Amino acid sequence: QTVVTQEPSLTVSPGGTVTLTCASSTGAVTSGYYPNWFQQKPGQAPRALIYSTSNKHSWTPARFSGSLLGGKAALTLSGVQPEDEAEYYCLLYYGGAYWVFGGGTKLTVL
Amino acid sequence: QVTLKESGPVLVKPTETLTLTCTVSGFSLSNARMGVSWIRQPPGKALEWLAHIFSNDEKSYSTSLKSRLTISKDTSKSQVVLTMTNMDPVDTATYYCARQQNYYGSGSYHQNFDYWGQGTLVTVSS
């Protein structure tokens, strides 16, 4: 059973910087896992933020960036805004054509 | 404008089979770059990827639910259908469909889950 692990919760001050990570039980996450990141606010469907590790959608705010960091996929928010308070999910691709979501990170802006 | 919309029963009984339909617009299911996944989210819990269908009709399933799931598509109707057999109360969740693009761009291969439906809540109860 493949498990994708994210920090359950993180807190950041407005204007600050925070990095969320996404680890795989199978080993180091590489670009071949095509990490996708999503933001979900209460009562809403997830919204896509990042694909293929570091690529932004046209609607993704510039303060969001994706990378690989220490064998994990990472999502960094720089200059956090109050509206960034949300749950964030990563999604990894595994050869054989299946995907696994992480357990999500609840980001609090305080 | 790309949209996806899930439809299906709000309530199903234990042991019944769930059939959900994702109706898409703004793109074609026959486009070689396009695929559609089904994802679910139990109340207060994390997202769970369930199944995917590619433009060439290739299918993939969650390893833990593979025996219960079937995904199919009707390109002429712009619909992707998911069936899940032997429903149980633990299958109570909001079910989403999402578009995925696979393509080469800027010298790299990309997988891009971009647009999602609004989701449909399915409750399993007798």
Side-chain angles (χ1 to χ4, degrees), chain B residues 56-68:
Chain B
N56 63 1
D57 215 39
E58 182 180 341
K59 304 163 177 96
S60 61
Y61 297 99
S62 161
T63 53
S64 60
L65 292 168
K66 187 171 184 174
S67 63
R68 299 173 54 205

Side-chain angles (χ1 to χ4, degrees), chain A residues 37-39 41 47-50 54-66 75-81 83-84 88:
Chain A
W37 288 91
F38 306 92
Q39 178 192 64
K41 295 183 178 180
R47 180 176 76 134
L49 291 175
I50 299 287
S54 59
N55 294 273
K56 299 179 186 181
H57 295 278
S58 58
W59 54 80
T60 304
R63 61 184 179 274
F64 290 85
S65 63
L75 176 70
T76 299
L77 288 71
S78 304
V80 171
Q81 302 296 308
E83 60 264 31
D84 297 334
Y88 291 85

Side-chain angles (χ1 to χ4, degrees), chain A:
Chain A
Q1 180 80 352
T2 304
V3 177
V4 176
T5 302
Q6 299 181 242
E7 297 86 359
S9 63
L10 291 170
T11 300
V12 61
S13 300
T17 296
V18 65
T19 297
L20 290 64
T21 67
C22 175
S24 173
S25 62
T26 59
V29 176
T30 65
S31 60
Y33 286 78
Y34 305 102
N36 277 244
W37 288 91
F38 306 92
Q39 178 192 64
Q40 188 180 33
K41 295 183 178 180
Q44 297 182 14
R47 180 176 76 134
L49 291 175
I50 299 287
Y51 65 95
S52 295
T53 305
S54 59
N55 294 273
K56 299 179 186 181
H57 295 278
S58 58
W59 54 80
T60 304
R63 61 184 179 274
F64 290 85
S65 63
S67 64
L68 295 175
L69 198 63
K72 301 178 184 180
L75 176 70
T76 299
L77 288 71
S78 304
V80 171
Q81 302 296 308
E83 60 264 31
D84 297 334
E85 183 162 295
E87 192 88 21
Y88 291 85
Y89 292 95
C90 66
L91 177 66
L92 300 180
Y93 171 75
Y94 292 83
Y98 74 95
W99 289 265
V100 179
F101 280 97
T105 295
K106 181 176 174 58
L107 182 67
T108 300
V109 181
L110 200 57

Side-chain angles (χ1 to χ4, degrees), chain B:
Chain B
Q1 181 188 3
V2 173
T3 64
L4 299 92
K5 186 175 177 63
E6 307 87 351
S7 59
V10 174
L11 181 67
V12 298
K13 291 182 168 55
T15 74
E16 287 186 340
T17 293
L18 171 68
T19 299
L20 293 172
T21 300
C22 175
T23 303
V24 309
S25 65
F27 70 99
S28 172
L29 295 174
S30 63
N31 185 313
R33 288 171 53 147
M34 304 299 173
V36 172
S37 271
W38 281 96
I39 296 118
R40 72 177 179 180
Q41 185 173 38
K45 296 189 177 181
L47 299 169
E48 179 183 17
W49 177 82
L50 299 177
H52 186 84
I53 189 163
F54 294 86
S55 60
N56 63 1
D57 215 39
E58 182 180 341
K59 304 163 177 96
S60 61
Y61 297 99
S62 161
T63 53
S64 60
L65 292 168
K66 187 171 184 174
S67 63
R68 299 173 54 205
L69 296 173
T70 302
I71 191 170
S72 62
K73 66 183 171 91
D74 185 330
T75 301
S76 65
K77 293 182 179 179
S78 295
Q79 292 180 333
V80 176
V81 175
L82 180 76
T83 61
M84 180 180 291
T85 61
N86 194 25
M87 293 292 285
D88 183 272
V90 300
D91 297 313
T92 293
T94 297
Y95 287 76
Y96 297 98
C97 57
R99 185 180 81 163
Q100 190 232 27
Q101 298 191 68
N102 299 273
Y103 59 95
Y104 282 94
S106 304
S108 301
Y109 177 72
H110 294 290
Q111 287 189 7
N112 175 359
F113 284 83
D114 51 8
Y115 291 93
W116 291 59
Q118 65 191 23
T120 185
L121 176 60
V122 178
T123 300
V124 184
S125 175
S126 55

